[in-house]
Amino acid sequence: MNPTIRVSDPAGLLAAIPELIGFLPERSLVVVFLIEGRVALTMRGDLDQVDRSWKPVDQTVEVARQHEADAVVLVAYDDELDDHLDQMLVIVASRIETRSVAAHWRVHVRAAMAVGTDARRWRFVLGQDGERMPPVARTYDEVAYHAISAGRVYAGKVLAGGRDEVAARVQPGSETPSDLFTLSVEAAVLALGQLSDEEAVALMVEDLAAIEDSPDAVDDTALGRLVGLLANGPARDAAMLRLNRENAARFLDVWSRAVRLTTGRPCLAALFLSGTAAWLQGDGVLVNACVEAGQRIDDRHIGVLVLDHVSQNALAPSVFEEMRVEMLKQLSG
């Protein structure tokens, strides 16, 4: 779910990971999937989850098979470098290689590295041929000052301070709605009782088109009307079908703000649309944040289940685009 980049050197790969997932990982296991030496996909999981179960191993093999990745690099992040971190990486690497043979899709663990975020040190645990490496710590400065890190700073790219900061973007009810927003939501919901599905869809499409045409089209009144219209199923579907890679960033801003202004079941549709827009941008961390926020409200909601499936299987944005095209064909037919 990330742009493809060329792997050059280990420090460069470590420098690229925060950009690939949106923040510098803490207590995480990051799996970097390679296709003929290129980074094609990056997956992050909590380190505690690896200690509790080996589900991440099966998930890694399945994702590699789906995306036809031939190799992975494992990077474990913890506060300090220690023997437990090294041993965990060795076991995970061994299980990935073993499970991949059983799954009839051979995945080679190209390397495994451990990073101590507080210690600002990193080291190889497994080398390119799977051999155990001497526990020689290297300074994180060569990562922090790598050309990839410098290029990110030069381009003005700002990373989130951590996973919690990413999740705050889709935290239901984290902002206080204005009276205009609340009244607009109520008016739209009330009006739906007098509108046909076709009329509700037409209103939704008209509002979304205005948003695409003008960055100033979403004041509190307009956003409230959109949230109210989401109570209508066909209008909600129209909002989903409007999403594409070109407008995903714009609509992510809109729907994530709608999430922050609403609570309970009314915000589930906005969470789904936010997660879908994040999926189209290749932002797996934000997709996960939408899933977790939705699960706290209703873990059986169809939108939550869909996004969870996307996350668990690391589905590429092209899957949504194919589904969207097929749905549009059915509607036009």
Side-chain angles (χ1 to χ4, degrees):
M1 299 176 72
N2 296 300
T4 301
I5 64 171
R6 171 67 69 178
V7 176
S8 55
D9 59 285
L13 180 60
L14 293 179
I17 284 176
E19 183 172 343
L20 291 171
I21 68 172
F23 61 93
L24 178 64
E26 297 178 347
R27 288 199 52 75
S28 301
L29 175 66
V30 174
V31 182
V32 181
F33 295 84
L34 307 178
I35 299 177
E36 297 181 352
R38 288 179 176 269
V39 175
L41 187 74
T42 310
M43 187 171 70
R44 190 209 71 89
D46 293 337
L47 209 57
D48 293 338
Q49 185 184 31
V50 182
D51 283 336
R52 288 195 304 267
S53 75
W54 296 108
K55 182 180 177 182
V57 171
D58 293 330
Q59 187 179 12
T60 296
V61 173
E62 178 60 20
V63 169
R65 185 188 66 79
Q66 287 184 9
H67 292 268
E68 300 185 350
D70 49 42
V72 297
V73 174
L74 306 177
V75 185
Y77 293 80
D78 207 347
D79 298 336
E80 303 288 340
L81 297 176
D82 58 27
D83 292 339
H84 172 74
L85 200 61
D86 292 358
Q87 189 61 30
M88 183 211 69
L89 281 168
V90 171
I91 294 173
V92 169
S94 175
R95 292 191 178 215
I96 287 174
E97 298 241 4
T98 301
R99 298 281 177 88
S100 71
V101 172
H104 306 292
W105 183 265
R106 185 62 185 269
V107 181
H108 175 56
V109 178
R110 181 73 59 84
M113 295 175 278
V115 178
T117 52
D118 287 351
R120 292 188 62 79
R121 294 285 187 273
W122 69 278
R123 67 187 179 207
F124 275 106
V125 176
L126 296 174
Q128 187 165 350
D129 295 323
E131 76 277 14
R132 186 69 180 267
M133 302 292 286
V136 178
R138 300 165 65 165
T139 175
Y140 201 74
D141 286 349
E142 63 180 305
V143 177
Y145 296 108
H146 193 277
I148 291 178
S149 298
R152 182 166 60 239
V153 173
Y154 181 78
K157 295 180 180 178
V158 179
L159 300 176
R163 193 168 183 273
D164 290 344
E165 188 174 320
V166 175
R169 192 174 181 188
V170 287
Q171 178 60 44
S174 57
E175 295 182 11
T176 303
S178 68
D179 290 341
L180 278 175
F181 174 82
T182 302
L183 289 171
S184 183
V185 173
E186 293 172 352
V189 172
L190 186 62
L192 285 176
Q194 308 299 319
L195 296 175
S196 67
D197 287 345
E198 290 77 11
E199 290 170 326
V201 168
L203 285 175
M204 175 66 80
V205 170
E206 181 181 344
D207 284 350
L208 296 179
I211 290 171
E212 288 187 280
D213 289 341
S214 171
D216 301 321
V218 195
D219 55 18
D220 281 7
T221 300
L223 186 59
R225 184 168 58 250
L226 286 173
V227 171
L229 288 172
L230 289 178
N232 176 273
R236 184 172 59 247
D237 292 344
M240 179 193 68
L241 292 173
R242 191 80 186 188
L243 291 168
N244 56 53
R245 289 200 190 192
E246 287 69 36
N247 64 26
R250 177 68 180 134
F251 282 125
L252 178 56
D253 287 340
V254 172
W255 296 123
S256 61
R257 183 161 184 260
V259 169
R260 297 193 298 272
L261 291 171
T262 54
T263 58
R265 295 192 64 82
C267 80
L268 284 169
L271 271 170
F272 171 67
L273 291 168
S274 297
T276 304
W279 176 20
L280 283 167
Q281 288 192 290
D283 192 339
V285 176
L286 192 54
V287 173
N288 286 336
C290 291
V291 170
E292 292 169 7
Q295 287 174 334
R296 288 192 289 269
I297 299 170
D298 180 1
D299 61 2
R300 304 308 299 169
H301 185 271
I302 183 61
V304 175
L305 293 174
V306 168
L307 290 178
D308 189 42
H309 179 73
V310 168
S311 174
Q312 292 296 325
N313 294 280
L315 298 182
S318 59
V319 174
F320 173 80
E321 293 174 324
E322 292 167 3
M323 177 186 71
R324 177 178 174 273
V325 169
E326 186 60 32
M327 290 181 67
L328 288 172
K329 286 181 179 177
Q330 292 177 6
L331 289 173
S332 63

